[in-house]
Amino acid sequence: MKKTPTPEPSDTALFRSEFTDVKPIKQDKIPPQRLSSKHKSADLAKKLDRLNDVKQRNATFQFSDGFEGHFDSQQPLKYVQPGADSFEVKRLRRGEYPPDLILDLHGLNKEQAKLEIAALIYAAQKQHYHCVCIVHGIGSYVLKKNVPNWLIQHPSVKGFHQAPLEWGGQGAVLVLIDLPQVHSKY
């Protein structure tokens, strides 16, 4: 005669039976110190200062707020550096040069924007990018008014033109960067 096997206890019951003598461990660790908002603000300010120092070292040009160029308010915003080819700026207007780098200045104040623009021009030259886009927005006109005045001051800016709609329209400018000539040994 065949014996019928006895049913095995369920897996859950078996698991619990194995751990009946286990006791929970009491946590003996010290919780991490929570910084007050005053400390958080100080730490954030230190990090921003370090970041601004790095950007300042990378940006080798200082813009003046006292310089103001003359732009015809009846025409789209444009500038051609004296001695530069004006046809290149026309090509910017037509959208023939897509920007290699785009800088969005939304949310930045004037000082931060100056640092970012100088760093952008430095990076464009270092990476051999001919065209960059600076999105300044319209907002309260602070950056919209100042960005062109800063760009005119930089010797590496060959020209700029108000961006076509696809790159920001009246809230952006496309900038032509004068790249340093690479001389060959041969």
Side-chain angles (χ1 to χ4, degrees), residues 108-129:
L108 300 181
N109 63 30
K110 281 174 53 174
E111 294 305 315
Q112 293 168 331
K114 282 195 280 190
L115 288 173
E116 290 294 329
I117 291 171
L120 173 76
I121 294 170
Y122 174 82
Q125 286 185 309
K126 188 173 181 176
Q127 298 174 22
H128 298 283
Y129 290 151

Side-chain angles (χ1 to χ4, degrees), residues 125-137:
Q125 286 185 309
K126 188 173 181 176
Q127 298 174 22
H128 298 283
Y129 290 151
H130 185 61
C131 179
V132 296
C133 180
I134 300 175
V135 181
H136 49 69

